[in-house]
Amino acid sequence: MEKMWEAQPFLTQGMVNCLAWNVRGLNAPNKQREVKLLCYKERTGLIGLLETKLKHDKVQKIIEKQFSGWRYTTNLNYHYNDRIVVVWRPHFYRVTPLSMNAQVLSFEVYYIPLQVTFGVSFVYAFNTKEERRGLWEYLEEHVARCKRPWLVIGDFNSVLNMEDRIGGNPVSWAEVVEFNKCIEACGLIELPNQGCRYSWNDRHSDQRIYSKIDWALVNNDWLDSMPDCKAMFLPQGISDHCPVKVVLNNERHRGRKPFKFCNVWTQHPQFLEQVERGWNIEIEGCKILRVVRKLKLLKKTLRGLNKNFFKNIEDEVKEDRETLLQVQKQLQLRPTYPNLQQEEHQKYQKFRHSSYLAEVYLQQKSKATWIKLGDDNTRYFYSVIKHKRLQQTITQLKDDQDIWQSDPDSIAQLFVKYYEEMLGGKSKKQNQSS
């Protein structure tokens, strides 16, 4: 196996993932071997190894042996047991350390394949609630300085919700309140994830406890500017913690978009005319069939209206703003010219109208009920839209055997099965007659 590792070119194509894993000690040869194989199998180019328990005189020797050609840094200066070791391949990641302490290492990362820059903090929190307060304070201070997409990943040693633990004592609000307050203050949300529901279990106990204490969290800037990505909680293997893999992917899933009515369409002067024309089409059949067919025809009509007049509404706002600014600059040089005054008035009215339509459109799309940033809310609306998409994404579904399914095809089949049982399917006689 060692020869295979050396002989095969590592990660020659495709995406190179980021990973965090609480390995519960890296001194044993079998642990080192499992980490090495995991990095190869999961196409890893940046990994945070937590709870390594490495001493100062062993770190360099072990890292150079297992990760030849990689670069690394540790927080040994802040804790004698080398709680966190971060290793990366320089051909795929350019990593600049920013700050660190005994519970977290923060970096600025440039991901070469996609040419994007983001921040990442690898976390290994202390066991007690009192000791973890230093971590919450650090994260809240760091977010004030972080002006880039930010990923916070690792073992937080804390559940976030009441349902994040099975077995043992029930989760109390006092146990999760500080973590929740920190997440809210930092503007962090959980990445969509697949794989293992609970990231840790007490395998040494007769009555096992399962809990989710490993997390992959991102901020609004990540949602606003990074490509689509997801977190995968892999099987625990030789540790009692699941490795957390973040898949950085520039390929977006392109499914058929569902029809959604946009309120801004009603502002167009042809809206009522086109709706009336489509609704007055004569269609044969029962009443409900006529209604369904007319609605389908209206979808086509309204999609055409959107394509012709509202598809580039945000670009139109930018153009109108720039045109207005140019005219206003000319008017400053020749303030008494009536033609410029009239042109400036026209451009102002056009920009006012297009910016209003764009804000109505984005506000409905984001379902935001209040305005946060002032005159130009585009960035805020986009963050809310992406936030809602992440929250509404179905990445896992439990089947009738109480088993979590994360494969997209399996999830789709569960939906089909559910509605077939609820609504019924075609009978054998109907199938034969058809």
Side-chain angles (χ1 to χ4, degrees):
M1 186 63 69
E2 295 293 332
K3 291 183 179 180
M4 182 196 74
W5 173 273
E6 296 295 337
Q8 285 188 299
F10 182 76
L11 305 174
T12 56
Q13 59 183 356
M15 297 298 102
V16 185
N17 303 309
C18 172
L19 195 143
W21 192 17
N22 184 328
V23 296
R24 293 298 299 271
L26 199 57
N27 289 286
N30 62 334
K31 285 285 185 74
Q32 298 169 15
R33 183 182 183 85
E34 290 301 315
V35 169
K36 188 173 183 178
L37 291 174
L38 178 71
C39 288
Y40 183 83
K41 180 181 177 182
E42 301 300 335
R43 306 181 61 81
T44 305
L46 172 64
I47 182 171
L49 299 171
L50 316 176
E51 199 177 355
T52 65
K53 300 181 181 179
L54 295 177
K55 302 300 182 182
H56 190 277
D57 57 340
K58 290 188 176 181
V59 176
Q60 185 173 355
K61 180 181 178 180
I62 290 176
I63 296 300
E64 289 182 352
K65 178 183 178 181
Q66 302 299 321
F67 298 94
S68 178
W70 296 46
R71 296 178 184 174
Y72 76 96
T73 189
T74 77
N75 66 342
L76 253 176
N77 293 334
Y78 295 88
H79 197 275
Y80 68 94
N81 248 356
D82 203 14
R83 293 168 55 82
I84 308 175
V85 177
V86 178
V87 194
W88 65 92
R89 283 183 62 85
H91 296 299
F92 296 93
Y93 290 90
R94 295 175 189 167
V95 178
T96 305
L98 297 177
S99 61
M100 65 182 68
N101 57 37
Q103 300 186 82
V104 60
L105 270 70
S106 293
F107 305 89
E108 180 183 88
V109 176
Y110 179 71
Y111 183 46
I112 298 172
L114 297 184
Q115 298 183 356
V116 293
T117 301
F118 59 93
V120 59
S121 296
F122 289 97
V123 171
Y124 176 42
F126 284 128
N127 292 323
T128 67
K129 181 172 67 174
E130 292 72 23
E131 289 178 308
R132 286 195 295 270
R133 285 173 184 160
L135 170 62
W136 312 142
E137 292 172 359
Y138 168 89
L139 293 177
E140 291 180 21
E141 292 174 359
H142 184 78
V143 72
R145 303 188 300 269
C146 184
K147 305 301 180 184
R148 61 178 69 85
W150 184 29
L151 168 67
V152 189
I153 185 172
D155 176 8
F156 288 74
N157 260 315
S158 178
V159 296
L160 188 59
N161 306 296
M162 300 298 181
E163 62 273 14
D164 287 337
R165 184 163 64 220
I166 295 178
N169 297 324
V171 177
S172 65
W173 175 244
E175 187 178 349
V176 302
V177 61
E178 293 183 352
F179 190 12
N180 274 272
K181 286 183 177 179
C182 175
I183 296 302
E184 183 177 356
C186 295
L188 296 171
I189 66 168
E190 186 181 6
L191 270 178
N193 57 80
Q194 297 179 353
C196 302
R197 171 66 179 87
Y198 302 98
S199 64
W200 173 86
N201 76 82
D202 185 10
R203 61 173 52 165
H204 303 295
S205 172
D206 294 335
Q207 297 179 340
R208 287 201 180 188
I209 300 173
Y210 293 84
S211 63
K212 183 176 177 60
I213 57 177
D214 299 86
W215 300 90
L217 310 168
V218 294
N219 65 349
N220 279 334
D221 286 325
W222 183 285
L223 302 179
D224 198 36
S225 58
M226 289 292 287
D228 290 347
C229 61
K230 61 184 176 181
M232 298 287 295
F233 285 80
L234 309 173
Q236 295 145 320
I238 202 168
S239 176
D240 56 4
H241 282 261
C242 295
V244 187
K245 179 179 71 171
V246 174
V247 181
L248 298 169
N249 191 4
N250 63 346
E251 297 179 0
R252 298 182 180 271
H253 174 70
R254 298 184 179 274
R256 184 178 180 182
K257 292 184 179 180
F259 177 82
K260 294 182 180 179
F261 182 87
C262 294
N263 295 335
V264 72
W265 296 342
T266 62
Q267 302 293 320
H268 195 272
Q270 298 178 12
F271 172 75
L272 289 177
E273 178 186 344
Q274 294 196 20
V275 171
E276 185 177 1
R277 188 188 307 125
W279 200 253
N280 289 332
I281 295 175
E282 292 295 332
I283 295 176
E284 296 182 356
C286 64
K287 291 183 178 180
I288 188 64
L289 178 63
R290 293 202 299 266
V291 170
V292 170
R293 288 187 175 177
K294 285 183 178 182
L295 287 175
K296 285 187 176 181
L297 291 174
L298 274 178
K299 285 182 183 180
K300 185 177 180 180
T301 301
L302 293 177
R303 281 196 174 109
L305 183 71
N306 181 71
K307 181 179 180 180
N308 295 329
F309 299 102
F310 297 97
K311 183 178 181 180
N312 299 317
I313 188 171
E314 297 159 64
D315 295 333
E316 184 179 347
V317 172
K318 295 178 182 179
E319 293 176 4
D320 290 347
R321 180 188 290 110
E322 185 61 30
T323 304
L324 175 62
L325 293 177
Q326 293 299 325
V327 174
Q328 288 175 339
K329 288 179 181 179
Q330 295 178 27
L331 193 59
Q332 287 292 325
L333 299 175
R334 293 174 287 183
T336 59
Y337 276 41
N339 291 340
L340 279 179
Q341 292 175 2
Q342 184 177 3
E343 185 179 359
E344 192 268 347
H345 178 73
Q346 294 172 349
K347 299 299 183 185
Y348 169 75
Q349 294 297 333
K350 189 174 186 302
F351 169 66
R352 184 178 178 182
H353 180 68
S354 62
S355 62
Y356 167 75
L357 294 181
E359 186 149 313
V360 170
Y361 170 74
L362 290 174
Q363 188 169 7
Q364 181 191 359
K365 195 173 181 181
S366 65
K367 297 183 180 179
T369 56
W370 57 283
I371 305 302
K372 182 178 180 181
L373 298 181
D375 292 335
D376 188 2
N377 301 291
T378 304
R379 181 181 177 88
Y380 167 65
F381 284 138
Y382 275 131
S383 297
V384 174
I385 291 168
K386 292 183 178 181
H387 192 158
K388 286 185 175 294
R389 283 177 180 171
L390 285 183
Q391 289 180 320
Q392 294 170 357
T393 301
I394 298 175
T395 57
Q396 294 187 103
L397 206 61
K398 188 179 290 187
D399 61 18
D400 51 8
Q401 303 296 323
D402 285 338
I403 298 174
W404 287 99
Q405 300 293 341
S406 57
D407 180 69
D409 292 334
S410 300
I411 292 174
Q413 289 300 318
L414 288 177
F415 274 108
V416 172
K417 182 180 179 182
Y418 172 80
Y419 283 106
E420 283 182 344
E421 292 177 352
M422 182 175 67
L423 301 174
K426 292 182 178 180
S427 65
K428 292 183 178 180
K429 292 183 178 179
Q430 287 177 321
N431 290 332
Q432 290 173 358
S433 62
S434 60

